[in-house]
């Protein structure tokens, strides 16, 4: 079964508007971490934000916030005040912390295009 | 400080040939990971080194793939003989010691492999 699901292959947003990129996850591990990465056209994967499963508050990093709904197993990324430079692929990922494995499970990604 | 560097950025080879991909992690990062993204699919974990030791190689697809990290510095991933389904982007990532579970991974720009 897919551990990370990103149902939006592509999204468009007007510059300066906010956009939400969806991510749902599937795990039986009670302790896990959720990550969002950005991949611009240069190819490098850039870490954006991290949410631990036991964190009480939603993570925020500048214009990025993670809408963490544990009961629904969703970890949507919200980008506020979109900029042209936000156009990129965005990947949601999860690490299961109690299994002892250190690998990240990734989704298929969402391509965001910011329209001027 | 230099980031994770990967070489080559793009390699085009014929089926049956051999290719070796190289990854130089960030200096001091004990943890080194290889991931692969086949076109349109999710990024999948291949293996994880802690220094020169293979911590987890559960994601290696078959014995045509050989990863090494002699001396615990740079790593190589050799594909021999290459098959058409090996085409994709191979990402290397690293993280500091002690952050394998909760910390972010620092990714390189990836090595695109095309097998004809």
């Amino acid at each position: 079964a897919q551990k990370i699901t990103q149902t939006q292959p592509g999204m468009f947003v007007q510059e300066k508007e906010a956009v939400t990129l969806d991510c749902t996850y599937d795990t039986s591990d009670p302790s896990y971490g959720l990550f969002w990465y950005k991949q611009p056209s240069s190819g490098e994967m850039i870490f954006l934000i991290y949410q631990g499963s036991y964190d009480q508050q939603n993570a925020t990093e500048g214009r990025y916030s993670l809408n963490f709904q544990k009961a629904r197993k969703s970890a949507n990324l919200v980008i506020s005040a979109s900029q042209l430079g936000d156009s990129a692929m965005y990947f949601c990922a999860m690490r299961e912390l109690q299994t002892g494995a250190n690998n990240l499970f990734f989704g298929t990604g969402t391509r965001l295009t910011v329209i001027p | 400080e230099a980031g994770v560097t990967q070489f080559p950025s793009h390699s085009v080879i014929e089926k049956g040939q051999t290719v070796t991909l190289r990854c130089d992690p960030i200096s001091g990062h004990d943890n080194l990971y290889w991931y692969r993204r086949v076109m349109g699919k999710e990024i999948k974990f291949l293996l994880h080194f802690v220094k020169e030791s293979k911590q987890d190689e559960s994601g290696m697809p078959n014995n045509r793939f050989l990863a090494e990290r002699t001396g615990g510095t740079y790593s190589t991933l050799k594909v021999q003989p290459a098959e058409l389904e090996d085409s994709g982007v191979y990402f290397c990532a690293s993280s500091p010691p002690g952050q394998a579970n909760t910390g972010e991974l620092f990714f390189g720009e990836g090595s695109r492999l095309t097998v004809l």
Side-chain angles (χ1 to χ4, degrees):
Chain A
Q2 196 93 359
K3 286 191 178 285
I4 294 288
T5 302
Q6 295 180 255
T7 57
Q8 306 155 316
M11 287 284 286
F12 291 86
V13 63
Q14 201 76 37
E15 191 178 7
K16 298 180 186 177
E17 297 292 314
V19 64
T20 298
L21 306 183
D22 293 343
C23 172
T24 57
Y25 58 91
D26 181 26
T27 181
S28 57
D29 195 326
S31 181
Y32 50 90
L34 298 158
F35 301 77
W36 276 93
Y37 282 84
K38 172 185 178 181
Q39 186 187 33
S41 56
S42 62
E44 184 180 358
M45 297 277 284
I46 302 168
F47 167 76
L48 296 179
I49 197 166
Y50 169 81
Q51 178 88 43
S53 58
Y54 290 115
D55 293 342
Q56 294 297 315
Q57 292 189 322
N58 287 348
T60 60
E61 288 286 346
R63 294 186 298 110
Y64 304 108
S65 61
L66 202 151
N67 184 2
F68 180 45
Q69 298 189 35
K70 196 170 183 177
R72 296 178 61 184
K73 293 192 173 180
S74 74
N76 298 341
L77 177 70
V78 180
I79 306 174
S80 62
S82 297
Q83 301 172 357
L84 295 179
D86 294 335
S87 293
M89 282 289 289
Y90 288 80
F91 292 95
C92 180
M94 175 179 66
R95 178 184 279 131
E96 294 170 322
L97 302 181
Q98 283 203 355
T99 63
N102 293 302
N103 50 300
L104 287 176
F105 296 96
F106 283 88
T108 52
T110 295
R111 181 170 296 282
L112 177 66
T113 302
V114 180
I115 304 166
Chain B
E1 180 183 348
V4 177
T5 56
Q6 293 187 243
F7 181 83
S9 57
H10 192 187
S11 181
V12 181
I13 61 173
E14 292 188 349
K15 176 182 171 182
Q17 289 187 320
T18 298
V19 64
T20 300
L21 311 177
R22 173 173 169 143
C23 168
D24 286 78
I26 293 172
S27 178
H29 282 196
D30 288 353
N31 295 292
L32 187 150
Y33 305 80
W34 283 99
Y35 286 83
R36 175 174 75 170
R37 184 177 189 223
V38 173
M39 183 63 70
K41 299 197 173 180
E42 70 269 27
I43 300 169
K44 283 196 171 179
F45 167 80
L46 296 179
L47 87 159
H48 169 213
F49 284 99
V50 177
K51 297 184 180 179
E52 67 274 9
S53 300
K54 290 177 185 175
Q55 180 80 4
D56 181 355
E57 53 183 329
S58 60
M60 294 289 264
N62 51 61
N63 59 11
R64 295 185 294 102
F65 289 75
L66 174 64
E68 294 181 323
R69 193 184 182 193
T70 307
T73 54
Y74 71 90
S75 174
T76 58
L77 179 64
K78 180 191 285 189
V79 185
Q80 178 183 32
E83 297 290 343
L84 298 179
E85 64 264 25
D86 300 333
S87 295
V89 180
Y90 290 77
F91 290 100
C92 177
S94 70
S95 67
Q99 290 193 28
N101 274 348
T102 58
E104 67 186 90
L105 300 187
F106 296 82
F107 280 82
E109 294 185 355
S111 290
R112 181 177 295 278
L113 173 64
T114 303
V115 182
L116 303 176

